[in-house]
Amino acid sequence: MGSARATWLGRDVISILDFSRDMLEELFLVADEMDRFLRSGRVPRLLEGKLVALAFFEPSTRTRLSFDTAAKRLGAETIGFSGEEGTSIAKGENLADTVRMLDSYADAIVIRHKYEGSALYAAEVAEHPVINAGDGKQHHPTQAMLDLYTVRQLFGSVDGLVYGVLGDLRYGRAATSFILGLTLFRPKKLYLISPPLLRAREEVLEVLRQRGIVFEEAGSLEEVIGGLDVLYVTRIQRERFPDPSEYEKVKGSYRVTRRLLEEHAKPELRVMHPLPRVDEISFDVDETKYAAYFIQARNGVPVRMALLALVLGGWEK
Amino acid sequence: MSPGEALLVRKIRDGTVIDHIPAGRALVVLRILGITGREGLRVAVVMNVESRRLGRKDIVKIENRHLRPEEVNKIALVAPTATINIVRDYEVVEKKRVELPSIVEGILKCTNPTCITRKPREPVKPRFRVLSRRPLRLQCMYCGTIVSEDDVVKQLIGG
């Protein structure tokens, strides 16, 4: 484990596939510690004197606030923006120059951007670690980290479970990163459930094939729900569709309800969702034992605290 | 080149012979080189001739024209089996195989319109990892998009 810890220090976080299972397990152990600190109300100021830039070129609530909270809980300070309005980007500055500026101010840059590959590009420009908080439809690695951490917390292990990932698998970066993250473990089976227009992209399916993951593409949740341990639901995001008429064809095409779960799901099934949701999970699921999405949302802070502490070296002190 | 092929087109004095082009790709190679026939160069194209190595192959001979390294790199993408022969005074003075590197940089653009490499104001060169050579499959190292041989050919010939 010691070596896994050393490899976190100073590194960029671009894709969940940049990490090994050992590294993620190390992260989860540190997140357990962070969770204990938070519950006890005594969090050591491991990142005192550090400054984290939160460069959210796209609007975000949960991810930005959880990074902000995680940094501040550990004693770091944050700077940044949310949305391009009011920044030099709105005046025509390019991403590279904005990143260079932030790099000269801060010890790490957390970036969210609407274009795929922007986080990797920022990491090439910056000397300090860059953490991808979502680049277009491609990656959302820290979401996958907290999702996998939540599965481990709920079931004791990520291995050996039957997963269903439901929704927009084509444009949804949280779903994509979760699917890719599962390839670092040994799921029993993975069902990819989506309308035909929103099937997982070829490059994602290729990773599943290369890594020997048993998976099946399914058109409807009803066909497979009875066999699932984890159902990961995602929203269809209007803003990711290049063609608005495509969005109109698929919106509202699936909905997880209490009745569906009670009639067809195993009692142990847990429903996850990166949030925010619109209408893909009905509110009557919230009070059932199936709902795990609020636990998942809460885990955003300890997991991101662990990540910042490992990348910025606070955990070494 | 077999004696039968030699009968089809006579030797050139100075220039380049691109041999072992996969059958049917000679015209793509000409498009990549920007040769339309209006340049006044003497050009011979031989298509679908027998080849021990490839079964069938195309050959392009261009008099008084030598290739720039970036042209050779582009040919490597669509004709990875090609050999480039440099001819001076009827003799082949240099013969080399084209070589497709494992990373292709700066030649092609990503087919994904929302890839960061497609943004004109960002000083970033598109970079692709070669997933497979035949058929050609490339993966954008920034956005992960897989680019097929058809996409590559379309881009290189401006289709």
Side-chain angles (χ1 to χ4, degrees), chain B residues 133-147:
Chain B
R133 289 176 150 76
R134 299 177 79 177
L136 184 66
R137 288 174 79 239
L138 306 172
Q139 184 166 36
C140 174
M141 291 176 73
Y142 287 90
C143 77
T145 298
I146 295 176
V147 180

Side-chain angles (χ1 to χ4, degrees), chain A residues 13 17 43 54 77 84-85 104 132 144 165-166 171 182 186 191 194-195 201-202 207 240 253 264 272 306 317:
Chain A
V13 179
L17 292 179
V43 181
L54 304 175
E77 290 185 68
E84 291 180 357
E85 305 79 18
S104 68
N132 186 0
V165 184
L166 170 68
Y171 300 115
L182 286 176
R186 289 189 299 278
Y191 288 99
S194 67
R201 299 190 300 276
E202 183 51 32
V207 176
R240 301 261 167 257
S253 55
H264 299 286
M272 297 175 66
K317 286 175 193 167

Side-chain angles (χ1 to χ4, degrees), chain A residues 235-253:
Chain A
R235 178 170 63 102
I236 297 182
Q237 298 174 81
R238 182 197 298 262
E239 64 273 23
R240 301 261 167 257
F241 279 72
D243 177 357
S245 70
E246 261 190 29
Y247 172 76
E248 293 301 322
K249 282 183 208 158
V250 293
K251 71 171 184 186
S253 55

Side-chain angles (χ1 to χ4, degrees), chain A residues 92-96 100 113-118 120-121 124 135 137-138 202-203 206, chain B residues 112-117 119 121-124 127 131 137 139 141-146:
Chain A
E93 186 177 55
N94 66 5
L95 174 60
R100 279 188 195 101
H113 199 282
K114 63 183 168 186
Y115 295 135
E116 292 86 45
S118 51
L120 175 60
Y121 174 48
E124 288 174 353
D135 59 339
K137 61 178 185 269
Q138 196 183 17
E202 183 51 32
E203 71 258 24
E206 184 132 326
Chain B
N112 169 17
T114 53
C115 175
I116 192 69
T117 62
K119 303 303 138 194
R121 302 194 63 257
E122 301 297 342
V124 54
R127 261 204 327 266
L131 295 180
R137 288 174 79 239
Q139 184 166 36
M141 291 176 73
Y142 287 90
C143 77
T145 298
I146 295 176

